[in-house]
Every structure is written in structure tokens, then in C-alpha cells.
Amino acid sequence: MTLLVVATGNPGKLREMQAYLADSGWELTLKPPELDVEETGETFAANACLKASQVAIATGNWAIADDSGLEVDALNGAPGVYSARYGSSDADRIARLLRELGNNNHRGAQFVCAAAIARPDGTIALQANGVCRGEILNAPRGNGGFGYDPVFYVPEQNFTFAEMTPEVKRSVSHRGKAFANLLQQLPHIEM
Ligand code: IMP
């Protein structure tokens, strides 16, 4: 099995990627903790490529990275690549989002995820994207998930991300779609 270094320090993300890539023929492992890549890109795809590429070069192995966030239509796509840096806690970030949207009736939004796999020399072998459309509620609903989940409502499911089971969230989410797309491309990867 070929080793694939996951460009994250988050063991939760490693578990999630393991679930997506089970039976794919790759052995996933976390990046060394001292290896930190700054997310300086202006798009999710740029950040995913940057992280995968730098971790691949530093470790001499194949590497995988993803970058994701929330784009709100009425805020011209904010918080976007700054989703994680929009406040100091999940509660803070949600409060800021609801404050900035105020009573605006136009509440359309989307979660976006970009994933990339880099070869040991840092070149990008594969990229995939996933988008999930929804609406920002006026107040949080549900206890599951993380981040902006309690205010992100998906009309087709009639639930917020925080009200869905992890299985349902995986099947409709931006990350689930990006990884489904990545899995389809994986057998055709140029080694
Ligand atoms: P990253 O992809 O780990 O850099 O995450 C970026 C940020 O986007 C997270 O810290 C969350 O605030 C937000 N985010 C990304 N995906 C989700 C999701 O599925 N639910 C809620 N928030 C998310």
C-alpha cells in the first residue's frame, strides 16, 4: 500500500478521510506535528494544493489536503477562505455571521470544499471540489456537527447540518461530494 500523508494536525479529519478512502488502496497517516503550512491562498483550491504540495515535499511522500468554508451570497462570498478565522470560537463565528446578515431576507449560502493530492515531488496529481447549497437561519438549530452547522439549513433535507446524522451529512455535504469526486478519479491517477 502506498503511504498518503494527510496534511492536517487534526486526528478527527484523519478519521473522516479514512472513512472516505477506506478500500482505496492507500495507507493514511497524519503529517508530523511540527510541520505547519500557512493557508495563504485566496481560494479553497489554492490552499488545498498548497498544503498537499508542501507536506509532500517535506515528507517525501504522497500527501492529501482539503480546505473548506462557508460562502454567504449576501456577504459577497464571506467568510469564504476566512471561515475558520472569522471569530475566536464557533459561537463567536456564528454570532458574527448572524449580526452581519441582520434582517436580510436573502439568506442563500454554500459550503465549499476543495481537495488535492500531491506527488512526493510536490506536483499536483489530482483535484476535486464539492459544493452544498443551503440557507442561513436566523437562529441555531441542532446539536450535532461543528462550526457553522447549526445555522446552515438544507431545504431538500429539511434539516440543518447540525440536525443530520453523520451519515446523511456525509452524503449531502460539500466534503462528502468532494471526496466522492476524488475517489472516482483515484484509479486514473498518474503515479
Ligand atoms: P478547514 O477546511 O479545516 O480549514 O475549515 C475551515 C472552516 O470552515 C472551519 O473551521 C469551519 O468554521 C468551516 N467549515 C468547514 N466545513 C464545515 C462544515 O461541514 N460545517 C461547519 N463548518 C464548516
Side-chain angles (χ1 to χ4, degrees):
M1 280 217 278
T2 317
L3 200 64
L4 185 61
V5 181
V6 179
T8 177
N10 181 343
K13 221 169 206 179
L14 173 67
R15 273 196 299 277
E16 198 170 314
M17 288 199 192
Q18 264 162 345
Y20 287 127
L21 300 178
D23 310 323
S24 66
W26 296 79
E27 186 190 342
L28 272 63
T29 178
L30 271 183
K31 74 165 175 63
E34 66 279 6
L35 178 60
D36 231 349
V37 183
E38 225 188 312
E39 297 182 8
T40 53
E42 287 183 6
T43 62
F44 298 113
N47 279 331
C49 290
L50 190 76
K51 288 189 273 187
S53 198
Q54 294 201 5
V55 169
I57 292 169
T59 61
N61 288 297
W62 287 76
I64 183 168
D66 77 341
D67 195 44
S68 60
L70 179 66
E71 295 180 337
V72 180
D73 300 349
L75 302 178
N76 297 318
V81 289
Y82 301 103
S83 292
R85 295 163 268 177
Y86 206 50
S88 54
S89 66
D90 281 345
D92 251 29
R93 288 184 273 271
I94 288 178
R96 176 169 174 196
L97 177 65
L98 296 184
R99 200 167 55 240
E100 298 205 354
L101 261 182
N103 293 326
N104 198 324
N105 289 327
H106 184 38
R107 308 198 66 96
Q110 59 189 18
F111 268 118
V112 179
C113 176
I117 293 182
R119 302 182 185 90
D121 68 359
T123 54
I124 299 297
L126 202 155
Q127 286 189 68
N129 293 300
V131 173
C132 179
R133 289 287 308 170
E135 292 162 17
I136 305 300
L137 295 181
N138 289 300
R141 250 172 57 181
N143 299 310
F146 71 101
Y148 301 90
D149 281 354
V151 288
F152 188 77
Y153 174 75
V154 183
E156 293 79 28
Q157 305 293 324
N158 205 8
F159 281 133
T160 66
F161 265 4
E163 294 173 315
M164 293 178 191
T165 61
E167 293 73 27
V168 172
K169 184 183 168 189
R170 268 204 295 276
S171 71
V172 300
S173 79
H174 50 310
R175 204 168 294 102
K177 288 176 183 167
F179 276 86
N181 183 291
L182 191 111
L183 266 180
Q184 276 183 346
Q185 298 186 52
L186 217 44
H188 314 293
I189 205 165
E190 270 181 48
M191 301 296 274

